[in-house]
C-alpha cells in the first residue's frame, strides 16, 4: 500500500510567520503534488514536482514555494503566512503524471 | 484551459435510493478520468478510474461510472446507496497534453439519510 504522510494534522500560525509543511511518500513515486482544499472550491493545485529538484507551478502558486531535495519528500513553504492561506493542505504522489494520485491525510492550517 | 464541471454541489438521498453524480469535462482529446472520494475524517482516495477500453468501469463499494465520449461525460452511479456512502466526491481529468495537469471538479457533498 502506498503511504503518504504529512508532518502535521493541525497547525496554528500567526500572520507573517514562515510555515513549512512536509510530505513524505514511501513508494518511490516520481510525481508529487501540493493542493489546497477549500469548501466550494474543490482541490486547487499549488505546485507539483516530477523529479528531484524539479518543480512546476500549479494554478495558485502565489505566496507559496516548494522544495524537493529527495525523491520521497516534498515540502511546501509559506514564506509569510497570511489569513487567506487558512485552508486544508493536501499532498499527493503518483508514479506517472497521468496515473492515480495517492493522498496524505491533510494538514489543516489556521493563520491568525 | 481544460475544465471539469460537477453539476451537483450538494445531494441528499435516503438509503436505498439510486445515485447519479454528473461530471463533464471540456477537452476533446484522449483523457484519463477519475472519481475520488473523501469520507468524513479520512484521506481522499480513488473510487474508480477510466484509461481506455470498456467505457463502463466498476469501482469499490458498488460504484460504477460510464464514459460517454460524445457527451464529454463521466457520471458516477450506484443503484442503492448506503448511509456509509456519505462523503464528498470529486471528479478529475488528466489529458495527455504537454505540461497539462490533473484537474479536479469542485466536488459534490453527498448526505445519505438513514
Amino acid at each position: 500500500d502506498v503511504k503518504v504522510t504529512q508532518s502535521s494534522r493541525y497547525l496554528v500560525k500567526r500572520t507573517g510567520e514562515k510555515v513549512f509543511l512536509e510530505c513524505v511518500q514511501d513508494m518511490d513515486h516520481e510525481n508529487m503534488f501540493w493542493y489546497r482544499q477549500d469548501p466550494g472550491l474543490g482541490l486547487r493545485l499549488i505546485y507539483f514536482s516530477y523529479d528531484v529538484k524539479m518543480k512546476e507551478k500549479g494554478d495558485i502558486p502565489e505566496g507559496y514555494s516548494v522544495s524537493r531535495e529527495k525523491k520521497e519528500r516534498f515540502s511546501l513553504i509559506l514564506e509569510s503566512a497570511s489569513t487567506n492561506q487558512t485552508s486544508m493542505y493536501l499532498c499527493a504522489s503518483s508514479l506517472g503524471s497521468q496515473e492515480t494520485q495517492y493522498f496524505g491525510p491533510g494538514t489543516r492550517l489556521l493563520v491568525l | 484551459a481544460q475544465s471539469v464541471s460537477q453539476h451537483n454541489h450538494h445531494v441528499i438521498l435516503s438509503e436505498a435510493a439510486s445515485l447519479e453524480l454528473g461530471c463533464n469535462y471540456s477537452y476533446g482529446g484522449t483523457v484519463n478520468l477519475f472519481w475520488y472520494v473523501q469520507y468524513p475524517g479520512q484521506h481522499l482516495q480513488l473510487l474508480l478510474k477510466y484509461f481506455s477500453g470498456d467505457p463502463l468501469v466498476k469501482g469499490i463499494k458498488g460504484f460504477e461510472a460510464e464514459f460517454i465520449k460524445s457527451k464529454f461525460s463521466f457520471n458516477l452511479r450506484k443503484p442503492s446507496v448506503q448511509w456509509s456512502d456519505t462523503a464528498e466526491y470529486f471528479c478529475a481529468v488528466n489529458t495527455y497534453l504537454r505540461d497539462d495537469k490533473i484537474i479536479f471538479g469542485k466536488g459534490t457533498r453527498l448526505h445519505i439519510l438513514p
Side-chain angles (χ1 to χ4, degrees):
Chain A
D1 259 3
V2 176
K3 192 164 185 187
V4 179
T5 56
Q6 295 183 229
S7 51
S8 305
R9 291 301 300 271
Y10 301 94
L11 213 49
V12 180
K13 296 291 181 180
R14 295 208 175 272
T15 301
E17 280 192 78
K18 191 168 185 176
V19 182
F20 292 87
L21 303 183
E22 301 283 333
C23 175
V24 178
Q25 50 95 3
D26 67 357
M27 282 300 291
D28 204 34
H29 281 174
E30 304 290 336
N31 301 274
M32 296 188 75
F33 308 83
W34 275 107
Y35 296 90
R36 61 178 285 176
Q37 182 181 14
D38 300 287
L41 297 179
L43 273 69
R44 292 181 291 167
L45 182 64
I46 304 171
Y47 268 97
F48 68 102
S49 168
Y50 52 88
D51 202 353
V52 175
K53 297 192 186 294
M54 305 303 287
K55 60 184 179 184
E56 293 283 344
K57 291 181 180 179
D59 300 314
I60 52 164
E62 296 78 19
Y64 303 94
S65 62
V66 290
S67 171
R68 194 161 180 206
E69 295 297 318
K70 293 185 178 181
K71 191 175 187 178
E72 68 271 18
R73 189 179 297 269
F74 191 35
S75 303
L76 180 69
I77 303 149
L78 287 65
E79 296 290 341
S80 177
S82 63
T83 55
N84 63 12
Q85 291 178 310
T86 290
S87 187
M88 170 70 90
Y89 290 87
L90 298 180
C91 177
S93 72
S94 69
L95 186 58
S97 61
Q98 305 291 336
E99 299 290 326
T100 301
Q101 293 190 12
Y102 295 87
F103 285 84
T107 296
R108 192 169 289 282
L109 173 66
L110 173 63
V111 182
L112 301 174
Chain B
Q2 317 312 320
S3 64
V4 177
S5 297
Q6 291 184 241
H7 313 297
N8 313 101
H9 300 297
H10 200 171
V11 173
I12 302 174
L13 294 173
S14 297
E15 275 194 310
S18 65
L19 170 72
E20 182 160 4
L21 301 183
C23 173
N24 286 91
Y25 58 94
S26 62
Y27 179 64
T30 302
V31 292
N32 290 346
L33 299 160
F34 306 83
W35 275 98
Y36 286 86
V37 61
Q38 189 172 34
Y39 298 104
Q42 294 189 26
H43 301 201
L44 201 65
Q45 60 184 287
L46 182 72
L47 195 58
L48 49 76
K49 63 184 179 184
Y50 171 81
F51 280 13
S52 63
D54 189 343
L56 184 63
V57 292
K58 296 191 184 297
I60 59 172
K61 303 188 180 185
F63 285 89
E64 64 179 31
E66 186 174 12
F67 169 51
I68 302 179
K69 190 172 182 179
S70 60
K71 294 185 178 180
F72 301 93
S73 71
F74 190 56
N75 292 354
L76 182 70
R77 300 195 294 245
K78 186 171 184 178
S80 177
V81 294
Q82 300 172 309
W83 178 77
S84 58
D85 294 324
T86 294
E88 189 160 17
Y89 294 81
F90 294 91
C91 180
V93 178
N94 247 345
T95 72
Y96 286 87
L97 293 173
R98 184 182 175 81
D99 295 333
D100 208 351
K101 305 167 284 289
I102 190 169
I103 303 168
F104 283 84
K106 293 185 177 181
T108 297
R109 283 191 180 275
L110 175 66
H111 285 279
I112 305 299
L113 304 174

